[in-house]
C-alpha cells in the first residue's frame, strides 16, 4: 500500500472547469495550467494545488475556497451527482459519497465515524504540509457541503466544522457559509453532523437527471408489446437499482411485491428474461452517461454496476457495434454538425 507521505492523488476534471468558471467570473488571469486541464477526465493533485495557489496569489484573501464553492454545479461533481439522485436520505448520500469520493477529490482519505453518542464526524486524513493548505482543505469541505445542498430538501444542520490551520481574521465568513461554529488549529479537518440529520430526505422535486432517465426508460417501454403497469414499475426499479448497485432479481421482485418465480414467468410471457431487461436499461443509461464528457469509462462502468470496465466495453460493443470511445466520438461529431448548421 502507498504510504501517506508519498500520497499525491488526482482531481476530477469537472473541478478544473469549476476553477475556470470562477476565474472568469472574477476577471482573473487564466493560467496555462488551468487552461490545460479543461476537458480532461482527471488531472494531478499537485496541479490542482498549483492552480489554487495561483488564484490565491491573484486575490490574496482568506475564505477563498468558500467563494469558489459558491460556483459549484452538479456537472462539476460528475458521478457523485448522478448517484446522489438515486438516494433517499442524507445518510445514504453520505455513504455513497464515502464510497466514491476519490473519483472526485482524491486529495486525502475520507473517514466517516462516530464523534460521540449524538454526532458523526466526516474527516480528511492530514497530508504532508507540501500537499495541503487552508484553501485545499476548505474547498474540499465546501464542495462537499454544496454537493449536499443541491440534493437535501430541508437544508443541512451542521454541528461544527474544524480546520487544522491558523485562525483567519474573518471567521464570521466561515460560520455564515457553514451556518455553525467553525474552529481552527484543531487536530483534524472535519465536518460534524448530528446523528438525526442522517434521516433528512433527499430532495425529490429537482431531480433533473432522474426525470430524464425515467423519460428514456418510458420510451424504451413503449417499444415492448403489451406493456403493463408492472413493466413500468420494473423498469424504474431496475434503473434505480443499477445506480445503487442493488438490482438483483430477488431484490427487485421484492420491491414489486412478487416472488422471483412470478417475475420470471411474467417476463417469459413477453419472450424476454430479467437479464435482458437489465441490459436494455443499461444501454439507455450508457447512452446518457457517455454524453457527459467528464465521466470516464471507469466511472460509467461503476454507474452501470459493472465490476470491470472491460465488461462494460464488451457489452456496449454488442449493443451498438461500436466501442464506447467510438460512440462518444461519433456523438460529439454529430452534435458539432448540428451546432454548425444552426
Amino acid at each position: 500500500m502507498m504510504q501517506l507521505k508519498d500520497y499525491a492523488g488526482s482531481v476530477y476534471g469537472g473541478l478544473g472547469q469549476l476553477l475556470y468558471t470562477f476565474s472568469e467570473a472574477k476577471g482573473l488571469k487564466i493560467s496555462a495550467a488551468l487552461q490545460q486541464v479543461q476537458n480532461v477526465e482527471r488531472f494531478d493533485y499537485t496541479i490542482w494545488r498549483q492552480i489554487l495557489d495561483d488564484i490565491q496569489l491573484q486575490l490574496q484573501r482568506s475564505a477563498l475556497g468558500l467563494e469558489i464553492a459558491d460556483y459549484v454545479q452538479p456537472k462539476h461533481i460528475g458521478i457523485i451527482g448522478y448517484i446522489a439522485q438515486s438516494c433517499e436520505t442524507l445518510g445514504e448520500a453520505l455513504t455513497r459519497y464515502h464510497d466514491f469520493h476519490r473519483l472526485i477529490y482524491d486529495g486525502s482519505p475520507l473517514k466517516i465515524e462516530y464523534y460521540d453518542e449524538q454526532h458523526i464526524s466526516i474527516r480528511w486524513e492530514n497530508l504532508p504540509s507540501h500537499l495541503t493548505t487552508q484553501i485545499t482543505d476548505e474547498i474540499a469541505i465546501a464542495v462537499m457541503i454544496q454537493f449536499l445542498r443541491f440534493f437535501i430538501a430541508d437544508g443541512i444542520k451542521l454541528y461544527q466544522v474544524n480546520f487544522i490551520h491558523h485562525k483567519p481574521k474573518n471567521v464570521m465568513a466561515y460560520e455564515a457559509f457553514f451556518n455553525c461554529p467553525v474552529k481552527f488549529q484543531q487536530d483534524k479537518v472535519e465536518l460534524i453532523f448530528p446523528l438525526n440529520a442522517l434521516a433528512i430526505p433527499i430532495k425529490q422535486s429537482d431531480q433533473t437527471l432522474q426525470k430524464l432517465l425515467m423519460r428514456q426508460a418510458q420510451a424504451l417501454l413503449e417499444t415492448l408489446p403489451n406493456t403493463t403497469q408492472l413493466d413500468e414499475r420494473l423498469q424504474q426499479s431496475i434503473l434505480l437499482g443499477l445506480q445503487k448497485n442493488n438490482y438483483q432479481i430477488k431484490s427487485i421482485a421484492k420491491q414489486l411485491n412478487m416472488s422471483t418465480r412470478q417475475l420470471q414467468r411474467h417476463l417469459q410471457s413477453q419472450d424476454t428474461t430479467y437479464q435482458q431487461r437489465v441490459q436494455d436499461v443499461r444501454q439507455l443509461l450508457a447512452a446518457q452517461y457517455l454524453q457527459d464528457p467528464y465521466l470516464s469509462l471507469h466511472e460509467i462502468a461503476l454507474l452501470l454496476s459493472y465490476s470491470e470496465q472491460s465488461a462494460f466495453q464488451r457489452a456496449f460493443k454488442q449493443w451498438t457495434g461500436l466501442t464506447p470511445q467510438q460512440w462518444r466520438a461519433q456523438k460529439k461529431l454529430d452534435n458539432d454538425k448540428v451546432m454548425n448548421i444552426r
Side-chain angles (χ1 to χ4, degrees), residues 291 328 330-340:
Q291 294 181 65
R328 176 176 261 174
Q330 183 61 52
K331 190 69 176 179
K332 183 178 184 304
L333 183 62
D334 292 343
N335 289 340
D336 289 344
K337 287 180 179 178
V338 171
M339 292 300 294
N340 288 335

Side-chain angles (χ1 to χ4, degrees), residues 52-81:
L52 287 173
D53 285 349
D54 176 71
I55 293 174
Q56 179 76 72
L57 187 62
Q58 292 190 60
L59 290 177
Q60 296 189 12
R61 57 177 178 257
S62 60
L64 186 55
L66 311 186
E67 287 189 53
I68 295 172
D70 278 335
Y71 288 80
V72 172
Q73 296 295 321
K75 66 181 180 180
H76 297 136
I77 51 182
I79 186 173
I80 298 291

Side-chain angles (χ1 to χ4, degrees), residues 96-161:
R96 302 296 278 167
Y97 192 98
H98 175 267
D99 292 342
F100 291 99
H101 78 279
R102 292 186 64 191
L103 295 176
I104 308 305
Y105 190 89
D106 190 17
S108 56
L110 183 70
K111 303 289 185 182
I112 299 181
E113 57 193 12
Y114 286 103
Y115 180 76
D116 58 28
E117 292 183 354
Q118 296 182 325
H119 300 90
I120 190 169
S121 165
I122 302 175
R123 64 182 178 86
W124 285 259
E125 295 286 0
N126 295 341
L127 289 178
S129 58
H130 71 285
L131 287 177
T132 184
T133 61
Q134 174 62 26
I135 188 174
T136 61
D137 286 345
E138 69 190 29
I139 198 170
I141 288 182
V143 165
M144 180 178 179
I145 288 299
Q146 291 297 79
F147 151 75
L148 293 174
R149 284 172 176 163
F150 279 119
F151 303 112
I152 297 300
D154 298 322
I156 303 170
K157 310 293 193 297
L158 287 171
Y159 173 73
Q160 185 172 300
V161 175

Side-chain angles (χ1 to χ4, degrees), residues 205-261:
S205 60
D206 191 29
Q207 295 186 333
T208 305
L209 172 67
Q210 202 67 51
K211 290 176 181 177
L212 173 62
L213 297 180
M214 289 299 186
R215 284 200 300 270
Q216 291 182 329
Q218 184 62 41
L220 180 59
L221 275 174
E222 291 172 0
T223 67
L224 300 177
N226 304 316
T227 299
T228 67
Q229 185 180 39
L230 173 59
D231 291 304
E232 182 173 350
R233 291 168 55 215
L234 172 62
Q235 192 94 332
Q236 293 180 355
S237 296
I238 293 173
L239 187 150
L240 294 175
L242 284 169
Q243 292 181 299
K244 296 184 179 185
N245 196 25
N246 183 27
Y247 64 96
Q248 291 71 24
I249 187 170
K250 183 177 180 179
S251 174
I252 297 298
K254 184 177 180 180
Q255 292 178 45
L256 299 173
N257 297 316
M258 303 175 69
S259 69
T260 299
R261 184 60 188 148

